[in-house]
């Protein structure tokens, strides 16, 4: 059933208002990371401005840090990644590459003992908040009816019907059958590796974070599992784990 022009306008206003709300919330996002050498602790706050959640991190729990850069639609972006003793990562100071690099230099100097304190703050983005408010307030005027309402269909026009229930049931049944067949085929030709992680570990292109579990479907044979080494963060502890076809191999990622 086609929507009337009035209904389409109301729907458009609601969508525009939703976009405005999302922009405002994105603009109010704020993150703050501070470390004090005298107190031997760091604090990390993140969330909407005025409603941030804060947690304290012992200074000696941070064993390594690095700078990551990536391309985005807004241009080149960067972030400092802090790594704790279990391999868990905490991104700090996500911003454009120049600003993020300056944040990294400040943090690096602190962790090298060259500074007594450091603070990295990102957000709020006030221009985004203002733009979102403009969209939100102006949404009734931004959306106009696109034209006259469609003429009602003649009474004697045949009603078009969608797919019948038997056809829909048949399609669903075929999809379920294909899924079951693929699952059975995979279980007979592949093996599974179940990871329980107390330290971060990497297998292929996947990562298992501390405190989590992960099951991977892999080809039979030996696979390399790299466990994070807090003593030498750049040199993980490498294990060779055998995966058997049709079976589940359990492995605990720990030091």
């Amino acid at each position: 059933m086609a929507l009337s022009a009035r209904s389409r306008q109301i729907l458009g206003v609601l969508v525009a208002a939703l976009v405005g709300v999302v922009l405002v919330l994105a603009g109010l996002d704020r993150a703050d990371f501070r470390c004090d050498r005298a107190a031997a602790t760091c604090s990390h706050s993140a969330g909407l401005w005025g409603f941030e959640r804060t947690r304290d991190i012992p200074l000696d729990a941070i064993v390594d840090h690095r700078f990551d850069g990536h391309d985005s639609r807004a241009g080149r972006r960067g972030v400092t990644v802090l790594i704790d003793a279990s391999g868990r990562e905490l991104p700090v100071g996500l911003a454009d590459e120049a600003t993020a690099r300056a944040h990294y230099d400040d943090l690096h100097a602190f962790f090298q003992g060259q500074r007594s304190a450091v603070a990295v703050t990102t957000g709020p983005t006030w221009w985004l908040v203002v733009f979102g408010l403009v969209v939100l307030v102006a949404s009734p005027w931004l959306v106009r009816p696109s034209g006259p309402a469609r003429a009602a269909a003649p009474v004697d026009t045949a009603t078009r019907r969608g797919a019948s229930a038997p056809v829909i049931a048949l399609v669903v049944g075929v999809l379920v059958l294909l899924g079951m067949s693929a699952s059975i085929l995979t279980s007979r030709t592949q093996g599974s590796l179940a990871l329980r992680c107390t330290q971060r570990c990497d297998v292929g292109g996947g990562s298992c974070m501390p405190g989590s579990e992960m099951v991977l479907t892999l080809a039979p044979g030996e696979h390399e599992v790299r466990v994070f080494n807090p003593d030498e963060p750049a040199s993980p502890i490498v294990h060779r784990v055998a995966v058997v076809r049709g079976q589940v191999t359990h492995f605990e990622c720990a030091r």
Side-chain angles (χ1 to χ4, degrees):
M1 180 178 179
L3 295 176
S4 66
R6 180 62 176 170
S7 298
R8 291 197 300 271
Q9 183 182 11
I10 293 175
L11 182 60
V13 170
L14 292 176
V15 171
L18 179 61
V19 171
V21 171
V22 171
L23 291 174
V24 170
L25 294 178
L28 289 175
D29 189 56
R30 180 179 182 273
D32 181 79
F33 182 82
R34 297 175 181 271
C35 289
D36 189 327
R37 191 171 304 281
T41 186
C42 299
S43 65
H44 180 247
S45 302
L48 294 180
W49 181 58
F51 298 91
E52 302 96 331
R53 291 185 177 182
T54 303
R55 66 186 181 99
D56 293 329
I57 305 171
L59 184 57
D60 57 5
I62 302 173
V63 299
D64 197 16
H65 60 282
R66 70 173 189 270
F67 180 83
D68 282 351
H70 63 276
D71 293 318
S72 69
R73 293 183 178 180
R76 187 75 179 168
R77 308 279 285 176
V79 65
T80 300
V81 179
L82 307 179
I83 306 173
D84 67 11
S86 65
R88 185 179 285 106
E89 297 182 349
L90 174 65
V92 172
L94 176 63
D96 61 272
E97 189 171 33
T99 303
R101 179 65 70 176
H103 290 160
Y104 172 81
D105 292 340
D106 291 342
L107 289 166
H108 181 72
F110 173 80
F111 289 120
Q112 293 297 313
Q114 301 171 11
R115 302 180 58 166
S116 60
V118 66
V120 173
T121 302
T122 55
T125 310
W126 294 114
W127 70 265
L128 195 59
V129 174
V130 172
F131 183 64
L133 289 174
V134 170
V135 173
L136 183 61
V137 173
S139 56
W141 293 273
L142 292 175
V143 181
R144 297 289 185 181
S146 58
R150 294 181 180 178
V155 177
D156 58 349
T157 301
T159 303
R160 297 182 62 183
R161 296 182 178 180
S164 62
V167 173
I168 295 176
L170 178 61
V171 172
V172 172
V174 170
L175 292 177
V176 171
L177 182 60
L178 289 175
M180 293 177 61
S181 300
S183 178
I184 294 173
L185 180 63
T186 299
S187 65
R188 292 186 177 181
T189 59
Q190 305 286 303
S192 297
L193 176 60
L195 300 175
R196 183 179 180 184
C197 305
T198 56
Q199 291 282 112
R200 171 178 173 167
C201 65
D202 300 314
V203 182
S207 297
C208 181
M209 293 294 109
S212 62
E213 298 181 356
M214 183 169 65
V215 178
L216 300 173
T217 300
L218 301 170
E222 286 194 345
H223 294 269
E224 187 178 274
V225 178
R226 300 177 299 279
V227 181
F228 178 76
N229 182 6
D231 298 328
E232 296 184 43
S235 302
I237 302 170
V238 179
H239 298 271
R240 304 290 299 183
V241 181
V243 174
V244 181
R245 181 172 55 192
Q247 298 183 15
V248 179
T249 302
H250 295 270
F251 182 80
E252 183 174 359
C253 292
R255 294 186 63 185

